[in-house]
Amino acid sequence: MVKVDVDIKVKFLHGFSHKTRIQILECIKDSEKTVSQIVDEIDGNQSNISQHLACLKGCGLIVGRQQGKYMYYSLRNQQIRELLSMFDDVLAEVQTHVASCDNHIV
């Protein structure tokens, strides 16, 4: 098993720690999209979405592909897609506990 520095792991997990970033990841889970498409789909504002895209890209969760004047964003790889699905599977089992947890600030 690969040993990963805890601080690096925390930085990686930070990419998943904001509602907008999760919405973006879910939005591009099945197909690449432009910023405008993401903004429309999650009903956000372009400046805010762009900041979160930069965070996701910096954390290595997504990649961007330039085509003409548009940048298309997608998940970095199949493992990220599987990780998002695993989050859903685990959450299905513990969502009642998570919802009632007073130790987390939303």
Side-chain angles (χ1 to χ4, degrees), residues 15-16 20-30 56 61-62 75 80 84:
F16 298 99
T20 301
R21 289 193 291 273
I22 294 294
Q23 288 175 307
I24 291 169
L25 292 169
E26 291 293 335
C27 177
I28 64 174
K29 186 162 69 170
D30 296 321
L56 290 167
L61 300 177
I62 66 171
L75 298 181
I80 301 297
L84 290 169

Side-chain angles (χ1 to χ4, degrees), residues 79-93:
Q79 291 171 306
I80 301 297
R81 188 172 289 104
E82 291 169 5
L83 185 56
L84 290 169
S85 293
M86 286 184 355
F87 285 157
D88 292 341
D89 293 343
V90 172
L91 186 57
E93 291 186 32

Side-chain angles (χ1 to χ4, degrees), residues 6 8 20 22 29 31 39 50 60 67 79 82 97:
V6 173
I8 301 295
T20 301
I22 294 294
K29 186 162 69 170
S31 63
V39 167
S50 292
Q67 183 175 347
Q79 291 171 306
E82 291 169 5
H97 298 286

Side-chain angles (χ1 to χ4, degrees), residues 31-79:
S31 63
E32 65 180 8
K33 299 206 172 113
T34 65
V35 176
S36 297
Q37 291 172 316
I38 295 167
V39 167
D40 290 344
E41 194 166 316
I42 69 173
D43 197 28
N45 72 60
Q46 185 152 349
S47 175
N48 189 31
I49 299 299
S50 292
Q51 290 176 356
H52 287 292
L53 285 167
C55 176
L56 290 167
K57 197 171 180 185
C59 288
L61 300 177
I62 66 171
V63 293
R65 176 182 66 82
Q66 186 81 39
Q67 183 175 347
K69 66 178 186 171
Y70 296 103
M71 179 69 80
Y72 288 85
Y73 292 95
S74 60
L75 298 181
R76 172 168 292 283
N77 55 35
Q78 181 63 27
Q79 291 171 306

